[in-house]
Amino acid sequence: MLDDALKTQLAAYLERLVAPIELVASLDGSESSAELRALLETVAALSPKITLSESADARMPSFAIQRADDASVAVRFAGIPLGHEFTSLVLALLQVSGYPPKVEQALIDAVKGLDGEFHFESYFSLSCGNCPDVVQALNLMAVLNPRITHAAIDGALFQAEVEAREVMAVPAVFLNGQPFGSGRMELAQIVAKLDTGAEVRAAEAIKAKAPFDVLIVGGGPAGAAAAIYAARKGIRTGIAAERFGGQVMDTMGIENLVAVTETEGPKLAAELERNVRANGVDLMNLQRAEALVPAGADGLVEVKLASGASLKSKTVILATGARWRTMNVPGEDLYRNKGVAFCPHCDGPLFKGKRVAVIGGGNSGVEAAIDLAGLVAHVTLLEFDVKLRADEVLQRKLRSLPNVAVITNAQTTEVTGDGQRVDGLVYTDRGTGESKRVDLEGVFVQIGLLPNTEWLKGTIELTPRGEIVTDDKGHTSLPGVFAAGDATTEPYKQIVVAMGGGSTAALSAFDHLIRHSAPAAAAPVGTPETA
């Protein structure tokens, strides 16, 4: 199950175990239980501080990781945590043993101070890139606070449970048996939902910050590149991001990033964050911008945040990226996460053996249909245009699949359901005007991106599509305000292009500072610039 290279790597990590731990398995006669037993036996054999035992549990196959001398320090996995969840397994082993987490002390104290009984259950899929963040955050909470428990459950292995709880998108979190949240959540977000004073305290801390030389709004590839280039100039640099990593967090296979043969979005985002922090950038995550106020008499641009706090800076770089475009048809919002989904990698396994549709015939849509065809009973791909727009190599692969139907010249007009979940969609044949229905249980929307710029309307020049108008140096219509990435008029929405745009915007912002004002106190910098 684990190859020799992975065993060697895991053994090296397990040398960091602090206290002895016990793996307590709950197994039956199924094939998946046999696979889990093999995995646990392999893990236990790699360290003398790990023992393996068995005990019954309601979910099988499952296992608990618990401190040998204190069973209250424990987490549970229902399933086989490989794929994206293998890192969650490794971290759980270390943290249950007492290995210190790489988390700010203030956040650790907040988790320890939570008062009440919190029994979490999270549903994940092994192909979901967002799920590990949630699983790892909840696991850590269970380790830090004895009043918190957590079971991470592979939805693909516990289909009956998933259907009974109407889980149709992952990650999905339940607290004390009731829905708590869905989608990617970080530790700070979960704590804020449980501790209402946390957001207020964070806002007060932001209000106390001194003005920046360069403030970047957005934490995707463009924002990260801008921050690194600005900080390396020795100037005070900050990032305010609603979700560090941005759209990259939802991108699995990345094979066209120069000098990187292949990677995955969450891994790339983690590397970007590591690089940003190493250069002394003040990273303020989970902060949504609501208004941009042009520079006044003090020469400072102001960015107002949803938390009630605001930040000021001599220059601002807008790198807010984009989000999935929606169809804007009846039923789409009603059945979001109840059959309407946007991430085939994350949610595809929940539709195993079912009929689904993919909306969109570009590269994203065709790739989604190809991926889903290996999981579901049947895929219907609907494209508004008279022909698919995806690369020919993808179209050839799509045409080779026996369980895929392609409908072109089709305008989706409604997503239907029984009030609880999707049961079909209605589309209009644009050639004949005839309305037709397709019976299915899932709809994956893949029709492009929408720039996150609504909050800028009336303040800065935008195109009719909502893109920020920039020149070749990243200047916007406001002096001292620059922009980069997918939120701008840059025609090529690619990671490497966004990184280049962010770097250009940072250099332009530095040039603006030199010409118009003296920089503030220098920020810590990394290694000397070599490129």
Side-chain angles (χ1 to χ4, degrees), residues 123 158-170 172-174 179 182 334-340 350-351 354 418-422:
Y123 292 87
F158 294 87
Q159 283 281 338
E161 192 171 326
V162 162
E163 292 185 7
R165 283 185 154 175
E166 298 181 348
V167 175
M168 303 190 75
V170 291
V173 179
F174 287 74
S182 62
L334 176 63
Y335 293 107
R336 184 185 292 256
N337 295 331
K338 297 178 181 178
V340 174
L350 300 178
F351 293 84
K354 299 180 179 180
D418 60 6
Q420 298 297 319
R421 59 182 65 193
V422 167

Side-chain angles (χ1 to χ4, degrees), residues 43 58 89 116 133 160 176 182 299 314 364 411 476 529:
V43 172
L89 170 62
D133 287 330
N176 299 333
S182 62
K314 294 177 181 177
S364 295
Q411 180 177 3
T476 72
E529 185 166 342

Side-chain angles (χ1 to χ4, degrees), residues 298-343:
D298 61 359
L300 298 174
V301 181
E302 181 179 6
V303 176
K304 294 183 177 180
L305 306 174
S307 65
S310 65
L311 295 162
K312 290 190 174 183
S313 182
K314 294 177 181 177
T315 61
V316 168
I317 297 174
L318 303 171
T320 49
R323 63 188 183 277
W324 293 117
R325 186 182 297 275
T326 61
M327 298 181 293
N328 292 319
V329 300
E332 182 180 25
D333 285 341
L334 176 63
Y335 293 107
R336 184 185 292 256
N337 295 331
K338 297 178 181 178
V340 174
F342 295 84
C343 181

